[in-house]
Amino acid sequence: MSRIVNVAAAQLGPIQREDSRAIVVKRLIDLLRQAHSRNAELVVFPELALTTFFPRWFVDDITQADHWYETNMPSVATQPLFDEAKRLGVGFCLGYAELTADSQRFNTQILVERNGSVVAKYRKVHIPGHEHHEPDRPFQHAERYYFTPSNEGFGVWKAFGGRIGMMICNDRRWPETYRVMGLQGVEIILCGYNTPLHYVPDPSQDPLQGFHNALVMQSGAYQNGTFVVGVAKGGLEEGVDGLADSSIIAPSGELLAKTTTSDDEVITATCDLDWCNNYKNTLFDFDRYRRPEVYGRITQQRGSILD
Ligand code: CDT
């Protein structure tokens, strides 16, 4: 049985506040078709791929933001994407803001198989930014106001002939994210992101955004013997410049493909999942070499404890 998966990262350029779901879904379908014409069978879209990155604005009454969230998936607006993907026999991963029937708000990504069935839903675990309005900032990053951190953790699902995991944006900066999936034998991790180039709490990091993005995903791939697909919504969105640099990374940690623009753009790579075993069965043979008995602090405490 083939262990080759042709993967596409479908980067989005900016989505402005006034852009309707219909306009965005049309862009997603264009990217899906481009990916299919390049033999992709799994297309990965960014975090919050249906709207502008709305946590950059604060509203006192959160229900005024309800229109940014999806209450159903597929919805009337997204059904054409699901239909076209099924017609083409292409699976996809899509990020969106989710408002549940019991009024919980999650930053969510779903994985859809080539036959149109929804395989899995992942809700973001690490929610960055701030809870309250900070008017002195040039723009807000109020994800902690708009989203509840998920307690469901990091699943790995059998799909596309392999073991697929998901993470969303800030999750990619935390080694625990990859390791929890690595311990479930993950072979491809799918990650959408929106990363402003200006990091307000410490602007000295601004010129390093691309470096840090590559650093964390390439390390996570290598240390866990897995492919990683990182997909941006980048470019100048409502006056805020976002990192592009979408990439497909091998289990060796090497870059297989990277976008060259900060607009809508498709990149592809042929991923032989058996490549993962070169790492999982040697240097990173977890069962042979890991020492969980001395890693207790990782799960027993949150912050650093200084003597
Ligand atoms: N979307 C998201 O998680 N973005 C964060 C920005 C830095 S925290 C303000 C990221 O980790 O890229």
Side-chain angles (χ1 to χ4, degrees):
M1 188 178 151
S2 165
R3 296 265 294 154
I4 306 271
V5 186
N6 290 315
V7 178
Q11 176 176 283
L12 282 170
I15 298 176
Q16 306 304 345
R17 191 180 184 127
E18 299 308 324
D19 293 344
S20 67
R21 298 283 201 289
I23 285 177
V24 175
V25 168
K26 187 176 175 310
R27 284 167 65 185
L28 299 179
I29 291 173
D30 284 349
L31 289 165
L32 188 86
R33 288 180 178 147
Q34 279 183 52
H36 174 256
S37 74
R38 291 161 61 176
N39 292 324
E41 51 207 307
L42 169 57
V43 180
V44 185
F45 294 111
E47 175 191 34
L48 300 178
L50 298 173
T51 64
T52 198
F53 189 76
F54 63 88
R56 75 167 62 89
W57 298 291
F58 199 86
V59 290
D60 289 327
D61 173 3
I62 200 166
T63 63
Q64 287 173 8
D66 283 357
H67 62 101
W68 299 119
Y69 294 78
E70 310 303 314
T71 50
N72 293 299
M73 188 57 64
S75 57
V76 172
T78 53
Q79 189 65 52
L81 173 68
F82 282 71
D83 292 345
E84 183 64 356
K86 187 174 175 183
R87 188 183 75 79
L88 296 172
V90 177
F92 65 93
C93 174
L94 179 73
Y96 62 95
E98 178 190 10
L99 178 56
T100 67
D102 60 349
S103 300
Q104 295 196 79
R105 296 166 192 273
F106 295 108
N107 189 335
T108 297
Q109 221 170 243
I110 49 162
L111 179 62
V112 180
E113 255 289 9
R114 292 155 287 190
N115 64 6
S117 62
V118 176
V119 176
K121 178 184 278 189
Y122 167 73
R123 291 165 169 159
K124 190 172 182 178
V125 167
H126 299 99
I127 306 290
H130 49 101
E131 292 83 354
H132 305 292
H133 191 209
E134 298 189 5
D136 291 342
R137 285 175 175 253
F139 55 88
Q140 306 293 298
H141 197 107
E143 275 197 72
R144 293 177 71 85
Y145 176 65
Y146 286 111
F147 300 116
T148 301
S150 164
N151 291 327
E152 295 165 345
F154 302 97
V156 170
W157 294 271
K158 283 189 187 165
F160 298 90
R163 294 177 189 273
I164 313 292
M166 291 189 273
M167 61 183 180
I168 300 178
C169 196
N170 189 262
D171 289 325
R172 77 195 189 287
R173 302 188 191 273
W174 300 92
E176 295 88 348
T177 301
Y178 303 85
R179 185 62 100 222
V180 170
M181 289 189 264
L183 287 165
Q184 300 169 78
V186 74
E187 293 172 313
I188 313 180
I189 299 176
L190 314 178
C191 178
Y193 61 87
N194 283 262
T195 296
L197 287 174
H198 179 40
Y199 182 58
V200 178
D202 176 17
S204 75
Q205 296 179 30
D206 295 1
L208 302 174
Q209 291 292 357
F211 168 61
H212 289 157
N213 180 53
L215 180 72
V216 291
M217 293 197 294
Q218 291 183 249
S219 309
Y222 167 64
Q223 291 167 344
N224 293 279
T226 180
F227 290 89
V228 173
V229 185
V231 189
K233 174 145 66 60
L236 191 63
E237 187 179 272
E238 296 293 347
V240 179
D241 216 354
L243 179 70
D245 284 10
S246 302
S247 55
I248 303 176
I249 299 157
S252 58
E254 293 166 290
L255 269 180
L256 299 179
K258 184 176 169 186
T259 52
T260 55
T261 73
S262 45
D263 215 326
D264 292 10
E265 181 180 345
V266 173
I267 53 171
T268 56
T270 301
C271 301
D272 180 350
L273 302 188
D274 287 334
W275 193 353
C276 300
N277 293 330
N278 291 28
Y279 293 86
K280 291 185 191 292
N281 294 340
T282 60
L283 258 170
F284 298 114
D285 180 341
F286 289 169
D287 198 40
R288 184 168 185 191
Y289 297 119
R290 286 185 75 250
R291 298 288 316 284
E293 62 276 22
V294 297
Y295 304 155
R297 284 179 189 270
I298 299 279
T299 54
Q300 284 160 25
Q301 73 187 61
R302 186 155 61 206
S304 303
I305 296 176
L306 310 178
D307 291 332

